[in-house]
Amino acid sequence: MSQVTKPGRSRRSERSRQAILEATRALVSEVGYGKVAIETIAARAGVGKQTIYRWWPSKGAVIFDAFLALSEGAEGQDAALPDTGDIENDLRTVMRATVAEFADPEFEKPIRALNNEIINDPDLAALYHEKLAGPLDEAKKERLRSAQRAGQLAADADLGLVLEVLYAPLFQRWLHRSGPLTAEYADALVDVTLRAFRP
C-alpha cells in the first residue's frame, strides 16, 4: 500500500511546490517584491503556510527560488552555449533566444519586478549573482574560450568585457523600453561584439 501512496504524495508535493512558485511570481509582478508575504503566497497557491516553510526558510528564499525556476525553465536547461564550431552562428542563436525571452510579457513582467528589487537590495543582488548570473556567465565564458582556442576570438580578449559588450545594450534597451527587441537587433549586437574582439 505504501508503494501506491508514495508516488501520489510525491506528485501532490510537486504540484504544491509548482503552485507556490507560480503564485509567488504572479504576486511579485502584481504588487512588488516588498509587499509579498508568505500568507498571500499560501492563499494564492491554495496551500498552508507550513507547506511553504517546509521547503523554504523565508519569504526571500521562496521568491528567489521562484525566479530561479523561471530562468531554469527558460534557459537553464541549456546553460552551456551551443558549440557548432562557428562562434558567430552560435551567438546569433543565443542572442535571438534571449531577445525573444525579454520580449515575452509572461517572462518579462516578473523579471522586471526582480530587477527593480536588485537595484535597491545589495543582498538580493549578491544572491542573484551567486546562484544565477554567475553560473550562467561562466557557461557563456566557456563557449568564448572555445572560440579563442579556435582562433575566432582574440586570445587576450577579456571575456567578462565580451559578455558586457554583447548583453549590456540589450539590458539597457529592455530596462528603458527604448527600442524594439527583435532578431535583427540581436544579430547587430553579435556583429558589433565580434568586430570588437576578433583576432
Side-chain angles (χ1 to χ4, degrees):
M1 178 121 180
S2 62
Q3 290 179 339
V4 174
T5 57
K6 277 184 182 175
R9 275 195 199 129
S10 175
R11 281 193 294 272
R12 282 195 302 276
S13 289
E14 183 56 24
R15 279 198 301 269
S16 294
R17 185 176 167 280
Q18 289 303 319
I20 291 164
L21 296 175
E22 289 168 14
T24 300
R25 288 192 292 268
L27 285 165
V28 170
S29 295
E30 291 166 17
V31 302
Y33 182 97
K35 293 182 180 176
V36 174
I38 290 290
E39 291 81 2
T40 54
I41 294 170
R44 175 70 66 95
V47 301
K49 283 195 304 182
Q50 288 313 115
T51 300
I52 295 176
Y53 284 120
R54 188 182 318 138
W55 288 314
W56 295 280
S58 66
K59 177 185 94 166
V62 68
I63 288 175
F64 184 76
D65 270 2
F67 286 101
L68 191 61
L70 180 68
S71 259
E72 286 169 351
E75 66 176 298
Q77 60 196 10
D78 294 310
L81 271 64
D83 191 347
T84 65
D86 183 336
I87 189 63
E88 182 175 346
N89 282 339
D90 291 347
L91 288 180
R92 284 178 189 269
T93 298
V94 169
M95 291 305 290
R96 285 181 177 198
T98 302
V99 163
E101 282 174 0
F102 279 88
D104 178 354
E106 291 308 307
F107 180 86
E108 193 262 0
K109 281 195 325 190
I111 295 299
R112 190 172 290 277
L114 179 63
N115 272 272
N116 287 340
E117 296 306 320
I118 286 172
I119 290 168
N120 298 304
D121 185 338
D123 292 337
L124 184 62
L127 185 64
Y128 177 79
H129 181 76
E130 176 193 347
K131 299 287 187 185
L132 183 60
L136 285 174
D137 281 353
E138 190 49 44
K140 293 168 187 172
K141 286 178 184 178
E142 188 51 43
R143 175 63 187 95
L144 297 179
R145 288 185 196 104
S146 174
Q148 285 179 314
R149 291 190 292 271
Q152 297 174 345
L153 284 180
D156 61 350
D158 177 331
L159 299 186
L161 184 58
V162 174
L163 291 180
E164 287 179 2
V165 170
L166 187 60
Y167 284 92
L170 166 60
F171 290 139
Q172 177 167 319
R173 180 175 283 209
W174 173 73
L175 281 170
H176 294 260
R177 305 179 198 269
S178 59
L181 299 178
T182 63
E184 292 76 17
Y185 180 64
D187 290 349
L189 294 178
V190 172
D191 292 343
V192 165
T193 302
L194 290 179
R195 276 202 300 272
F197 294 102
R198 281 201 190 276

